[in-house]
Amino acid sequence: MSEVVDNKEMDEILQKYGYEKSCIIPILQETQAKYRYLPKEAFSYLSENLGISTAKIYSIATFYENFSLEQKGKYVIKICDGTACHVRKSIPILERLKSQLGLTEAKVTTDDLMFTIETVSCLGACGLAPVLTVNDQVYPAMTPDKAQELLMRLKEEE
Ligand code: FES
């Protein structure tokens, strides 16, 4: 077991679901909630304790797009680029945030693991476009300047 994944924390999750292999999806969801992604070390621990192959767990984790195998930042910022947000200029917001954080299309998480930038196709709040979320809190009617100010506030809180 690596330093990334804590046996005790994993046991708590497994106990909650009675070590039931049919609960693999909620178990993976809780694992992701704890670590903000699915560390590969967790797969072998779950495999040993649930009697499911790591290949099977991996295929489940990659099938559902809400699971992430990549480590994410403390603040996950999702910029909506659905139609309503796109026509109200969501891309300049995305570009501003990426340039402020030194991120690119290939590099979406800062080295200090503070920020991850993602785009989503619709956050279900089109009337408030353009919208972004920070760890699921919705910020409506954004502009590049407002997004930059929000970023400054988050940095100051640290
Ligand atoms: S298109 Fe952005 S919230 Fe729907």
Side-chain angles (χ1 to χ4, degrees):
M1 186 61 56
S2 73
E3 289 163 23
V4 180
V5 173
D6 183 319
N7 286 8
K8 248 172 64 190
E9 288 179 343
M10 291 306 298
D11 285 339
E12 278 168 23
I13 296 172
L14 286 164
Q15 271 158 21
K16 186 170 164 189
Y17 291 96
Y19 288 80
E20 185 50 64
K21 66 172 81 170
S22 63
C23 295
I24 183 65
I25 290 177
I27 288 169
L28 287 174
Q29 282 169 334
E30 291 219 16
T31 304
Q32 176 158 294
K34 189 158 281 297
Y35 298 104
R36 304 201 301 269
Y37 79 116
L38 292 175
K40 62 178 182 316
E41 293 82 359
F43 288 6
S44 42
Y45 197 69
L46 292 175
S47 170
E48 281 164 30
N49 285 278
L50 293 172
I52 310 177
S53 70
T54 48
K56 173 85 180 155
I57 298 174
Y58 184 80
S59 73
I60 294 168
T62 49
F63 180 77
Y64 295 97
E65 69 174 31
N66 281 340
F67 289 129
S68 171
L69 304 183
E70 302 289 333
Q71 197 162 13
K72 292 196 185 188
K74 178 176 178 186
Y75 298 104
V76 177
I77 302 176
K78 294 183 184 175
I79 293 112
C80 182
D81 194 35
T83 307
C85 289
H86 186 86
V87 297
R88 291 184 185 215
K89 303 199 174 351
S90 55
I91 293 298
I93 299 169
L94 173 67
E95 295 303 334
R96 177 75 68 89
L97 289 177
K98 283 203 301 200
S99 80
Q100 289 293 310
L101 293 169
L103 297 176
T104 62
E105 215 161 293
K107 178 178 167 56
V108 298
T109 297
T110 55
D111 289 334
D112 60 3
L113 292 177
M114 287 302 292
F115 295 98
T116 294
I117 300 274
E118 297 178 344
T119 54
V120 286
S121 53
C122 179
L123 287 164
C126 310
L128 307 174
V131 177
L132 64 77
T133 58
V134 180
N135 297 350
D136 296 330
Q137 183 173 345
V138 177
Y139 292 86
M142 293 307 282
T143 63
D145 286 348
K146 279 170 135 182
Q148 189 171 337
E149 277 165 33
L150 174 60
L151 198 57
M152 302 288 273
R153 282 208 302 279
L154 294 173
K155 285 181 176 175
E156 276 164 17
E157 278 171 22
E158 290 305 315

